[in-house]
Amino acid sequence: MTTAADQVLSVEAAHILQVYKRLPLVLVRGAGARVTDCDGREYIDLLSGIGVVSLGHGHTGLTRAIAAQAEELLHTSNLFFHPLQGQLAARLSRLSGLPRAFFCNSGTEAVEACLKFARRYWHTAGSRGRTEIVAFERAFHGRTFGSLSVTSGAPYREPFAPLVPGVRFVPPDDPEALRAAVTSATAAVIVEPIQGEGGVWPLSRTMADALTAVCEETGTLLIADEIQCGLGRTGRPFHSAALGLRPDLMALGKALGGGVPVGAALLSERVAANVAFGDHGSTYGGNLLACRAALVFVDALENGLTERVAEAGAHLERGLRRLAAQHATVGEIRGAGLMRGFEVAPEVADGIVAAGLERGVIVNRTAGTVVRLLPPLTISDADIDEGLARLGAALEDAS
Ligand SMILES: Cc1ncc(COP(=O)(O)O)c(C=O)c1O
């Protein structure tokens, strides 16, 4: 008998470009931190669509706002004003200290915009030789040509060479290498305050201090990629602030729309002043639907969500420490708040995601041997406990 899942999978196999090795799971609805597949099986979602479904699935306020906005007006293009972009920009400015926003539709576009604005800054300033970017090994910033050029993994890069020239990678734990790489030709350094895709590696305070110092001494711009670790994920609005970083540009995405695609590049006044009409654009960027969704998210963020993430993150960390004590296959635990990763033994790594699904929990594996958790920011302690209990059973199954 052909099931509903079989039908979806066979159409997918015939017609969707095969760039994702998907798990054989067809999800059809969700509530809070739980999602249900087409056969009615429920899963605890410890991944939230890779850190996107920040308010949880089926959030009433978000759903209502989206429906109301769809009835009123969805899109006007950026040829006209509408009231929501300015409101959202002002709220993000208050949270970040960066007074100007450019809206786009994804994380990679936000990075792309930051890279262009950094180059444009020096071009306008008359330092046309300052075009290079310094990035970190293990970094992931996206897959368009600019953002891919500052992404370090060879498998992402090599099939698409030549990429944007003038990018230097430095080890993320070597202040001297950073100092040597930043020269009078450097436009900007780009950093993830916590590397996500690379295996959940927080930037050390020593490295953050070196980064601040080198940028200050040389006038080099600092771009913080807060797409994964920002917007409340670590229990504060932006993780760069926790490290004492003062970025000139910030890239946002993922959590911002709670599931509606929206990204943003935030700029200091110094950088913004050097960008001119026509320098960049986006047909969809910051349309009414996206801004309305993002405003619902920012409302939540400013009304207790960051504090709740700090509590939930501490709860998750305690749970992970217990998990590590009970399972010899669990190694180092890294991250902050509700962005966590832990190393697993290589013999477990290959099977852990599928074993999790069998046990009713969704997690992600990244960087080969790291299990990554990015649950909804609204997850309850009870769902964290139940998710970790299922993950514990999956670790046994996978060994
Ligand atoms: C730190 C970081 N930067 C950029 C991106 C790219 O974002 P998107 O997939 O929305 O284009 C990601 C996505 O995982 C990310 O984690």
Side-chain angles (χ1 to χ4, degrees), residues 21-25 37 41-44 47 344 347-366 368 370-372 390-399:
K21 221 182 252 171
R22 289 190 220 275
L23 296 155
L25 186 63
D37 73 13
R41 274 199 77 202
E42 193 184 70
Y43 303 80
I44 297 199
L47 188 60
V344 286
E347 66 273 17
V348 169
D350 274 348
I352 185 62
V353 173
L357 293 184
E358 281 298 312
R359 290 286 181 173
V361 62
I362 296 176
V363 296
N364 169 249
R365 174 171 73 130
T366 190
V370 178
V371 174
R372 177 171 49 163
R390 294 181 189 186
L391 191 52
L395 282 164
E396 288 302 312
D397 297 345
S399 330

Side-chain angles (χ1 to χ4, degrees), residues 47-365:
L47 188 60
S48 67
I50 326 183
V52 166
V53 188
S54 45
L55 298 178
H57 300 280
H59 182 271
T60 313
L62 181 59
T63 310
R64 289 198 181 136
I66 291 171
Q69 195 59 54
E71 272 190 21
E72 234 166 66
L73 190 63
L74 277 177
H75 177 87
T76 59
S77 87
N78 282 304
L79 299 179
F80 307 99
F81 292 98
H82 69 68
L84 305 183
Q85 248 192 50
Q87 287 175 31
L88 180 58
R91 304 280 292 277
L92 291 173
S93 159
R94 210 163 64 212
L95 287 167
S96 66
L98 294 170
R100 296 215 178 247
F102 170 84
F103 290 106
C104 50
N105 314 288
S106 67
T108 197
E109 284 177 61
V111 169
E112 205 70 36
C114 287
L115 295 172
K116 277 185 73 178
F117 298 150
R119 282 245 182 118
R120 177 55 153 140
Y121 172 81
W122 292 111
H123 184 91
T124 314
S127 300
R128 297 197 177 178
R130 289 192 80 153
T131 57
E132 292 187 3
I133 305 289
V134 171
F136 289 96
E137 290 170 6
R138 279 195 316 242
F140 183 88
H141 296 292
R143 296 169 188 264
T144 52
F145 270 107
S147 61
L148 182 60
S149 301
V150 290
T151 289
S152 84
Y156 297 117
R157 299 167 58 86
E158 276 173 4
F160 306 102
L163 300 179
V164 175
V167 178
R168 297 178 187 218
F169 289 97
V170 295
D173 52 0
D174 187 343
E176 283 319 307
L178 174 67
R179 273 184 235 286
V182 176
T183 69
S184 56
T186 311
V189 181
I190 183 164
V191 65
E192 291 163 90
I194 301 180
Q195 292 182 323
E197 209 68 22
V200 191
W201 292 96
L203 191 74
S204 72
R205 188 68 205 215
T206 311
M207 201 61 191
D209 289 348
L211 190 48
T212 301
V214 80
C215 287
E216 271 175 16
E217 283 156 23
T218 59
T220 302
L221 300 174
L222 178 61
I223 305 171
D225 180 341
E226 293 263 4
I227 289 162
Q228 191 167 142
C229 68
L231 292 166
R233 171 81 33 209
T234 65
R236 37 181 83 74
F238 298 105
H239 198 71
S240 39
L243 294 169
L245 297 173
R246 287 187 297 279
D248 302 279
L249 292 138
M250 205 184 262
L252 305 181
K254 289 196 187 282
L256 184 56
V260 174
V262 51
L266 306 184
L267 299 80
S268 67
E269 202 57 64
R270 163 167 90 119
V271 177
N274 283 8
V275 178
F277 289 122
D279 276 350
H280 202 47
S282 165
T283 299
Y284 286 127
N287 78 9
L288 288 110
L289 183 74
C291 289
R292 183 77 182 261
L295 281 165
V296 173
F297 170 74
V298 172
D299 270 345
L301 196 65
E302 290 181 332
N303 287 289
L305 187 60
T306 24
E307 294 77 6
R308 169 61 201 148
V309 172
E311 280 172 23
H315 188 81
L316 176 59
E317 187 179 11
R318 286 191 294 275
L320 286 172
R321 303 233 166 270
R322 276 196 298 278
L323 197 73
Q326 288 158 1
H327 299 275
T329 50
V330 175
E332 188 179 45
I333 301 165
R334 297 188 290 267
L338 290 176
M339 177 173 184
R340 302 281 175 177
F342 60 87
E343 296 282 348
V344 286
E347 66 273 17
V348 169
D350 274 348
I352 185 62
V353 173
L357 293 184
E358 281 298 312
R359 290 286 181 173
V361 62
I362 296 176
V363 296
N364 169 249
R365 174 171 73 130

